[in-house]
Amino acid sequence: MCYSAQIWADFKKYERFGGTLNITEFTKLAGWTKKKGNWVKVVPKAMRRAMIDATSGVLDIGTVEMARAAEAEAVALIASEIGVQEARLVEANAKLASPKPTKKAENDRRVATNKIGAGKKKLEDMASPASADGIDRIWPGYFAPVMISDPSTGARIVAPMRYRCRLPGWTEADEIEKPGTYNARRDKLATVWRKVFTHNHGVMVVDRFYESVYLHDLQQRPLVPGEREQSVEIMFTPQTGQDLCVACLWTYVEAAGEDPGFYTFAIVTDDPPPEIAIAGHDRCIIPIKPENIDAWLNPEPGNLAAAFDILDDRERPFYEHELA
């Protein structure tokens, strides 16, 4: 399943559902991902901008300063790489202009030109505003805000979590070997996910999601002789325009070495409704009804029936689709 969603990066909107930001975790995220430019690699742009531009008191000044420092560090790293590649390009051009040009110089010029262009594009994207509607895409490995019940107080808190769940007992090597744990299939919750399901539940608010499907499946036709499979990306949106509280499972990875502890999560999915199946995809998110959020966020450990009842008593909007 190739899944991505759009998240709310305007954290204040989580207040509608009683969520309070876990400031410590957001500050930690900014400081941790500052290293090696990971701030840009794993934090969605709208989420970065919301932290950098926060002025309403939703984040404390220490968190905002840490986020701005992470942004500046990422810009400096990209600019430094551009400088290295520009020097490489000058050297390659000089070699190619000499009486004895080499294939290595040709390759260096090509690689340097491509990397300079990519670096400048990154800087332009970082300097441009986030999407006007305050939402952004996430992909496996990115961080996104997820609402959970605070294990200590029972209050609803919103923490940044990495979109790929590290199962209990797993190491980073296990994740690399089995990288698909961003999708928790409903039919695997009592087996593969048994140490997390009915223990650590969360919700992420989205108003649309995306899937990759084959073009011929979308067009509801067989492949013609000689035709190759072609993937296209589809955006699914509830016809009602409503925000969806998507069911999630989460774990907390304890600190190790220079890395701090951090949250990870997966989105629970099920067989698709007819309109998604007809569009060519075989999975769908599970939106929790607002009146069931408390019960979902505070599961009774081991009570599979109660948890499954909540998933089955889901929101069932009709999903419209269009090419992304």
Side-chain angles (χ1 to χ4, degrees), residues 37-257:
N38 284 337
W39 169 250
V40 173
K41 295 177 183 176
V42 301
V43 183
K45 179 179 177 179
M47 186 172 171
R48 299 196 313 266
R49 299 304 308 182
M51 295 174 71
I52 291 169
D53 300 335
T55 57
S56 64
V58 68
L59 293 173
D60 64 30
I61 188 62
T63 303
V64 175
E65 289 178 347
M66 187 71 75
R68 290 174 180 171
E71 185 87 354
E73 177 74 10
V75 168
L77 285 170
I78 295 170
S80 176
E81 175 61 18
I82 290 175
V84 170
Q85 296 304 322
E86 287 176 337
R88 182 182 185 183
L89 180 59
V90 169
E91 184 178 346
N93 283 335
K95 187 68 176 179
L96 290 171
S98 70
K100 295 182 179 180
T102 65
K103 289 187 176 181
K104 179 181 183 303
E106 289 181 1
N107 184 65
D108 283 348
R109 180 171 64 180
R110 176 184 59 81
V111 172
T113 299
N114 290 342
K115 289 189 174 182
I116 290 169
K120 289 181 176 180
K121 185 176 180 180
K122 287 180 183 178
L123 292 179
E124 290 173 2
D125 181 67
M126 291 178 70
S128 65
S131 55
D133 49 7
I135 49 183
D136 203 6
R137 296 283 294 277
I138 64 164
W139 303 89
Y142 277 39
F143 280 78
V146 177
M147 186 166 66
I148 65 174
S149 180
D150 188 323
S152 302
T153 66
R156 293 183 183 181
I157 59 171
V158 181
M161 299 191 182
R162 192 197 62 191
Y163 180 36
R164 189 174 59 246
C165 195
R166 183 177 296 184
L167 295 181
W170 275 26
T171 63
E172 186 174 358
D174 294 321
E175 283 187 357
I176 294 172
E177 183 180 350
K178 300 177 181 179
T181 53
Y182 52 86
N183 170 28
R185 294 175 57 103
R186 185 192 183 283
D187 57 0
K188 301 294 184 181
L189 295 177
T191 53
V192 175
W193 297 89
R194 64 188 182 280
K195 294 181 180 180
V196 188
F197 184 53
T198 76
H199 296 279
N200 297 340
H201 293 180
V203 297
M204 183 175 68
V205 180
V206 308
D207 66 2
R208 69 198 78 175
F209 63 98
Y210 297 76
E211 302 287 2
S212 288
V213 303
Y214 289 125
L215 179 61
H216 67 281
D217 288 337
L218 175 64
Q219 296 174 341
Q220 301 177 45
R221 62 172 178 80
L223 286 170
V224 299
E227 181 184 10
R228 294 183 177 181
E229 293 180 334
Q230 177 185 350
S231 293
V232 294
E233 194 170 53
I234 301 297
M235 179 177 73
F236 292 100
T237 308
Q239 191 177 56
T240 57
Q242 69 191 95
D243 297 313
L244 305 174
C245 293
V246 178
C248 301
L249 303 179
W250 61 271
T251 63
Y252 189 80
V253 178
E254 297 296 335

Side-chain angles (χ1 to χ4, degrees), residues 236-237 272-281 284 316-321:
F236 292 100
T237 308
E275 69 271 20
I276 289 182
I278 289 174
H281 201 69
C284 183
R316 296 183 183 274
F318 181 88
Y319 294 102
E320 299 177 326
H321 73 269

Side-chain angles (χ1 to χ4, degrees), residues 248-317:
C248 301
L249 303 179
W250 61 271
T251 63
Y252 189 80
V253 178
E254 297 296 335
E258 295 184 356
D259 293 333
F262 62 98
Y263 287 95
T264 72
F265 80 103
I267 291 174
V268 182
T269 65
D270 199 359
D271 295 332
E275 69 271 20
I276 289 182
I278 289 174
H281 201 69
D282 62 353
R283 306 302 299 163
C284 183
I285 59 176
I286 300 180
I288 300 294
K289 287 183 177 179
E291 59 267 28
N292 291 336
I293 290 178
D294 267 335
W296 175 253
L297 295 183
N298 297 279
E300 180 184 346
N303 191 340
L304 300 180
F308 278 124
D309 283 346
I310 294 172
L311 294 177
D312 293 339
D313 183 33
R314 70 191 69 172
E315 298 273 20
R316 296 183 183 274

